[in-house]
Amino acid sequence: MTAEVKKKIVFSFWMLYISALVIIIVLFAAISKGSIGYMPAVEQIANPIDKYATSVISADGKAFGSYGHSQDNRIHVTYNDLSADLVKALIATEDIRFSKHSGIDIQGLLRAVVKRGILMQKSGGGGSTITQQLAKQLYSPGAANFAERLLQKPIEWVIAVKLERYYTKEEIINLYLNKFDFLYNAVGIQSAAHTYFSVAPKGLKTEEAATLIGMCKNPSYYNPVRYADRTRQRRNVVLGQMQKAGYLTVRERDSLAMLPLTIRFSRIDHKEGLAPYFKEYLRMTMTAQKPDISNYPAPWQKPKFREDSAAWVTNPLYGWCNKNKKADGNFYNIYTDGLKIYTTIDTRMQRYAEESVKEHIGQTLQPAFFAEKQGRSYAPFSRDLTQPEVDDILARSMQQTDRFRAMRREGISDEDIMKEFRRPLEMTVFSWNGPVDTIMSPLDSIRYHKMFLRTAFMSMDAHTGHVKAYVGGIDYYNFQYDMVTGGRRQIGSTMKPFLYSLAMIEGINPCDRMLHVQQQLMDENGRPWIPRNSDQKHVGEMVSIQWGLQNSSNWVTAYLMKQLSPYTLVRLLHSFGMTGHIDPVISLALGTPDISVSEMVGGYSTFANRGIRVEPLYVTRIEDSFGNTVATFNPQMHEVLPEDATYKMLHMLRSVMDGGTGSRVRYRYNLRAPMGGKTGTTQNNSDGWFMAFTPTLVSGCWVGGEDRSIHFDRMTEGQGASMALPIYSLFMQKVYADPALGYSETETFDIPAHYANPCLDTDFTLPSGTGGIDKIFE
């Protein structure tokens, strides 16, 4: 080969090299400017994650829910919120030279090209850095053809270099972990740590951190819920990488690798996990729109419109997202603005409440109800119903289902819809022992689910209104109607303390006496009203007013109603916090109005709080994604009873628990704390109530069927003392057994000495005839 030929070859190689270099430079310049492929704008790179889910935080500092879109249920955390082991595991496994490169690891890239591309070694490792993986997560739209696949890596390299310019290494790691999808709607490390291990990222143990980082390779394949063995193997690979990087000793690695894979799986979505009814109530309340009369077209919706309109004005939490604006002038979005809602719920007390519901209804009450209805063709309905009435109830329930509405939208006839609802299908139905796969027609499934008794329970601080526990039903997935704030049922004898309060205001004393005989009252239309008693205790004898409340005598209650005005009682009920319409009729004395559990709990706080009613408070403050407090909420209090009437009522309501209809709390559940309360049972045992309070907590519980025609036949099982009281008692047992909560059975009511005995100086008998309060005390 001549020198001239060699010179031409060398020149040609140089030209090829320079040409390739120019092409690469032009290519990357074009990619950087967005002329080739996709390149995010500077604003997007400067703010790559602008959508974070809102997190719900308990009074004891636990994150127990979030509100976010399914693809962006991400809760923001800072780098300081990450455990050191989490960062070490990520670097050791994904990018050991992370601190030394500027987005592209040339050494790692060449190694991958040689080992995987040329030598075809599967263990050759990948060439992508953490920054490149972040770039792919944030901006890669996916490759639709060969040309796009060819350009995908160069585009990621350019974006990675830009990210390195804008962010520190710590910020890149934080962005990576905030962005990654760990399955089960757990987007970001905060959601993942809570979903799989029920802790914050800072609290992850070394082996837990290694498990989550191991998932980053392929979360579906290394799913710890479904594939425990392979996930444990992957975790141990991560631990091995940490040892190679010098983050663990060989002994530490071997010790951790021997541990079993232990997860505490709990979805963080607001419809899953702890307090789902509360979280849904909170979401609905905060995102409520300003009431518009056009959205309440039916006559029966007008009272609801008035209630919602009043709530918009008086309740600062109602419609909060649509009342308050961010700095940019837009209203807050609960799904994307990364808010932190600090609630009053205590997760320990909430868990005790849910456990108490399951223990009593699931293990005792429901089996008894099944046993009573077994073999009855009309079950679960009352035997008094005719078949057409049963069919009508089932038809109304059918029309409220999503299946029915979807078929109606498709134009399917009612006859064909009914045929479809009678056709057996494979389905999963609820049971207290877990979901059951079966074959059943949709219509039969409606009837089947009506067999299950429903409940509502709420407990709050008697002085601050902080709601500590909120159980809106027995199972949110299958029974989503919230009976704490959404449902209203007749309250039965739990009404009586409100009537007795009015009597105390008017000067009647607990120890005043009357003849215990059947009472007859005349309504405004001149028709007689003659209430019956459930028992025949002390008929024809003189009894005290206190005895009447203690034993829930309808005759004593009717006697007091005869002396009082139903219109005055309605005004007092509204002062006690009852917001719905109440007809001023004499029969309301026995609890005919429909009232919610939350309103009842708020009303009964009056008796534990010196005559001052405190409204239930669900949220104490809201923070934005930057940690700034954007809203605070304080207790709202209203004076209802004068001091002397309050202590008279406290005296009588305590006697209900100490020898009256609520005494089962003492002799069966061995609760010794000072308490006041009242049981309640409505006609035909359709509703069972129990309201109770201690010096610090006021609670309420309702139990009943979905329809009023679903109930126990006998009062033995159907009364409030049997249906609702046990849930409260089990709850309080658990509360007092947990010293960390700070509640004690030795706490006392603060009663001034001159109110200790409300019967002093009042030793006379009420007249048996008619007449008003003024006439009695002439």
Side-chain angles (χ1 to χ4, degrees):
M1 185 182 297
T2 64
E4 187 66 26
V5 173
K6 289 181 180 180
K7 187 176 181 181
K8 287 181 179 181
I9 292 173
V10 172
F11 178 78
S12 298
F13 274 117
W14 273 107
M15 289 302 294
L16 286 172
Y17 174 75
I18 293 172
S19 299
L21 191 61
V22 169
I23 290 172
I24 290 173
I25 292 172
V26 171
L27 175 66
F28 278 97
I31 290 173
S32 182
K33 292 182 178 181
S35 302
I36 298 177
Y38 170 77
M39 181 56 52
V42 173
E43 294 79 9
Q44 287 181 275
I45 294 179
N47 187 26
I49 304 178
D50 60 355
K51 294 181 181 179
Y52 286 98
T54 289
S55 56
V56 184
I57 301 171
S58 69
D60 52 322
K62 308 290 186 183
F64 67 103
S66 67
Y67 307 111
H69 297 304
S70 59
Q71 69 274 22
D72 275 309
N73 191 31
R74 180 186 302 106
I75 299 173
H76 180 263
V77 293
T78 66
Y79 183 82
N80 292 331
D81 295 324
L82 306 176
S83 72
D85 286 329
L86 196 63
V87 176
K88 292 174 182 177
L90 178 62
I91 292 175
T93 306
E94 299 294 333
D95 191 356
I96 192 62
R97 282 177 291 278
F98 177 68
S99 62
K100 300 177 181 178
H101 63 69
S102 298
I104 304 173
D105 181 8
I106 302 299
Q107 181 178 340
L109 180 62
L110 292 174
R111 184 198 69 240
V113 169
V114 172
K115 289 190 174 183
R116 297 184 67 115
I118 299 174
L119 301 178
M120 303 301 289
Q121 295 179 1
K122 291 185 179 181
S123 61
S128 291
T129 63
I130 291 174
T131 316
Q132 287 175 240
Q133 293 179 48
L134 174 62
K136 185 175 182 178
Q137 287 184 44
L138 292 173
Y139 306 114
S140 178
N145 52 54
F146 176 75
E148 290 184 1
R149 285 196 295 274
L150 201 62
L151 290 172
Q152 192 168 8
K153 279 295 180 185
I155 291 172
E156 289 174 12
W157 293 338
V158 174
I159 296 175
V161 171
K162 287 191 174 187
L163 287 171
E164 291 274 351
R165 291 177 183 174
Y166 277 97
Y167 298 101
T168 65
K169 293 291 186 179
E170 290 79 8
E171 289 171 333
I172 288 172
I173 286 179
N174 195 54
L175 282 171
Y176 178 89
L177 291 173
N178 268 308
K179 179 66 179 177
F180 197 86
D181 188 343
F182 290 89
L183 304 180
Y184 300 107
N185 209 24
V187 182
I189 193 63
Q190 173 87 351
S191 296
H194 279 284
T195 297
Y196 293 104
F197 299 107
S198 299
V199 297
K202 193 83 171 179
L204 287 168
K205 299 177 183 177
T206 304
E207 68 273 16
E208 294 170 343
T211 300
L212 293 178
I213 295 305
M215 291 179 68
C216 292
K217 183 174 184 179
N218 186 331
S220 297
Y221 188 78
Y222 297 110
N223 180 342
V225 177
R226 299 186 62 186
Y227 309 115
D229 290 341
R230 71 170 66 148
T231 304
R232 180 173 177 269
Q233 292 173 10
R234 176 62 185 167
R235 178 203 69 181
N236 291 346
V237 169
V238 174
L239 293 172
Q241 293 297 110
M242 293 177 71
Q243 183 270 319
K244 289 179 182 178
Y247 297 136
L248 295 175
T249 64
V250 173
R251 184 176 181 179
E252 287 172 333
R253 179 203 64 190
D254 293 343
S255 176
L256 292 170
M258 292 294 292
L259 295 174
L261 180 67
T262 303
I263 63 172
R264 295 176 293 281
F265 183 72
S266 175
R267 296 190 189 219
I268 202 170
D269 181 82
H270 78 279
K271 294 183 179 181
E272 306 274 354
L274 204 63
Y277 290 94
F278 171 79
K279 290 179 287 190
E280 178 62 7
Y281 164 76
L282 195 59
R283 184 190 71 83
M284 293 289 290
T285 300
M286 290 186 63
T287 59
Q289 299 287 334
K290 185 175 182 179
D292 183 348
I293 189 65
S294 63
N295 294 326
Y296 301 79
W300 58 269
Q301 291 179 309
K302 295 300 184 286
K304 184 70 168 71
F305 170 73
R306 289 192 292 269
E307 290 180 30
D308 292 347
S309 298
W312 181 268
V313 175
T314 62
N315 184 353
L317 190 65
Y318 188 87
W320 186 87
C321 289
N322 295 307
K323 291 177 183 175
N324 297 274
K325 294 182 177 181
K326 298 177 287 185
D328 63 6
N330 293 316
F331 287 111
Y332 281 100
N333 188 317
I334 199 172
Y335 306 107
T336 61
D337 284 336
L339 301 171
K340 288 185 177 180
I341 304 173
Y342 290 86
T343 72
T344 59
I345 293 291
D346 186 294
T347 57
R348 297 160 295 184
M349 296 175 72
Q350 177 68 29
R351 188 172 291 105
Y352 296 152
E354 293 181 7
E355 289 173 355
S356 300
V357 165
K358 185 172 183 179
E359 286 175 27
H360 176 58
I361 297 186
Q363 298 176 15
T364 303
L365 203 62
Q366 192 64 54
F369 190 71
F370 282 153
E372 181 183 278
K373 304 303 180 185
Q374 188 174 15
R376 300 183 181 182
S377 60
Y378 53 81
F381 304 102
S382 167
R383 63 182 125 199
D384 299 327
L385 291 186
T386 63
Q387 188 58 48
E389 289 174 325
V390 171
D391 293 340
D392 184 57
I393 292 173
L394 293 175
R396 287 199 306 269
S397 297
M398 180 185 73
Q399 292 165 8
Q400 294 170 2
T401 64
D402 292 337
R403 183 192 300 266
F404 180 89
R405 294 182 182 128
M407 295 176 77
R408 263 287 177 84
R409 285 193 298 268
E410 294 174 6
I412 300 175
S413 68
D414 288 350
E415 183 180 353
D416 289 338
I417 290 176
M418 182 56 73
K419 287 180 181 179
E420 187 65 25
F421 267 80
R422 293 185 185 279
R423 185 169 63 87
L425 303 169
E426 290 185 359
M427 63 175 64
T428 302
V429 297
F430 171 79
S431 85
W432 277 106
N433 295 320
V436 175
D437 294 328
T438 186
I439 297 176
M440 187 183 295
S441 74
L443 193 60
D444 285 340
S445 75
I446 292 173
R447 189 166 191 154
Y448 168 80
H449 284 105
K450 283 183 179 291
M451 282 286 293
F452 290 92
L453 297 171
R454 314 299 167 82
T455 191
F457 176 86
M458 191 174 104
S459 184
M460 78 175 194
D461 188 290
H463 307 292
T464 65
H466 287 199
V467 175
K468 299 297 184 180
Y470 182 118
V471 183
I474 59 173
D475 179 80
Y476 184 80
Y477 183 81
N478 291 282
F479 311 100
Q480 297 190 0
Y481 192 68
D482 182 355
M483 292 300 297
V484 169
T485 51
R488 293 176 176 273
R489 295 295 286 259
Q490 289 185 343
I491 61 173
S493 292
T494 55
M495 164 67 80
K496 291 175 181 176
F498 304 133
L499 174 67
Y500 277 64
S501 294
L502 180 58
M504 298 303 106
I505 293 173
E506 295 290 349
I508 294 178
N509 193 279
C511 293
D512 293 341
R513 298 166 68 80
M514 62 160 283
L515 184 65
H516 193 229
V517 294
Q518 190 172 60
Q519 304 291 311
Q520 176 174 308
L521 286 75
M522 305 300 291
D523 67 15
E524 291 183 332
N525 297 313
R527 292 174 300 197
W529 179 62
I530 307 174
R532 295 177 299 174
N533 253 346
S534 60
D535 59 50
Q536 299 297 309
K537 290 181 181 178
H538 298 291
V539 175
E541 300 178 20
M542 300 299 292
V543 297
S544 68
I545 299 301
Q546 174 179 321
W547 181 92
L549 184 61
Q550 186 180 33
N551 293 277
S552 202
S553 169
N554 289 344
W555 291 351
V556 176
T557 301
Y559 182 84
L560 292 177
M561 188 72 255
K562 188 186 297 186
Q563 318 304 319
L564 304 168
S565 164
Y567 291 91
T568 306
L569 179 56
V570 168
R571 287 195 295 271
L572 183 63
L573 288 172
H574 289 313
S575 297
F576 271 106
M578 315 310 163
T579 60
H581 174 73
I582 302 174
D583 289 322
V585 295
I586 53 178
S587 59
L588 71 84
L590 297 185
T592 55
D594 292 333
I595 298 173
S596 70
V597 170
S598 62
E599 288 179 350
M600 289 293 289
V601 172
Y604 268 68
S605 69
T606 306
F607 305 122
N609 201 29
R610 300 187 177 186
I612 297 174
R613 173 175 65 88
V614 57
E615 294 186 15
L617 186 69
Y618 304 100
V619 174
T620 56
R621 75 180 190 276
I622 300 174
E623 291 181 359
D624 63 16
S625 59
F626 302 104
N628 302 312
T629 299
V630 294
T632 56
F633 303 89
N634 299 305
Q636 298 186 42
M637 300 186 180
H638 311 271
E639 186 173 356
V640 179
L641 298 178
E643 194 174 56
D644 61 337
T646 300
Y647 289 115
K648 290 176 182 178
M649 288 307 304
L650 179 58
H651 175 78
M652 288 192 287
L653 289 169
R654 291 183 67 181
S655 74
V656 173
M657 309 295 280
D658 301 327
T661 58
S663 59
R664 195 176 302 194
V665 165
R666 305 297 193 197
Y667 69 78
R668 180 166 296 181
Y669 295 96
N670 201 34
L671 291 171
R672 294 290 176 256
M675 293 178 178
K678 187 69 188 76
T679 56
T681 310
T682 63
Q683 191 171 7
N684 297 323
N685 308 318
S686 294
D687 306 278
W689 286 82
F690 187 65
M691 303 297 304
F693 57 89
T694 69
T696 50
L697 287 176
V698 56
S699 308
C701 183
W702 165 87
V703 177
E706 180 180 314
D707 302 282
R708 297 185 195 276
S709 58
I710 300 172
H711 53 73
F712 280 102
D713 294 339
R714 299 181 303 172
M715 181 172 274
T716 304
E717 295 88 4
Q719 62 181 310
S722 298
M723 292 209 294
L725 179 150
I727 294 175
Y728 170 79
S729 302
L730 291 169
F731 170 75
M732 292 304 297
Q733 283 180 342
K734 297 173 188 292
V735 168
Y736 286 133
D738 187 345
L741 292 174
Y743 297 102
S744 170
E745 291 193 271
T746 60
E747 57 191 4
T748 59
F749 290 103
D750 185 12
I751 304 175
H754 57 286
Y755 286 121
N757 186 351
C759 295
L760 292 177
D761 301 325
T762 55
D763 188 18
F764 65 90
T765 301
L766 291 172
S768 59
T770 60
I773 295 296
D774 293 336
K775 190 172 182 179
I776 295 172
F777 288 96
E778 286 180 345

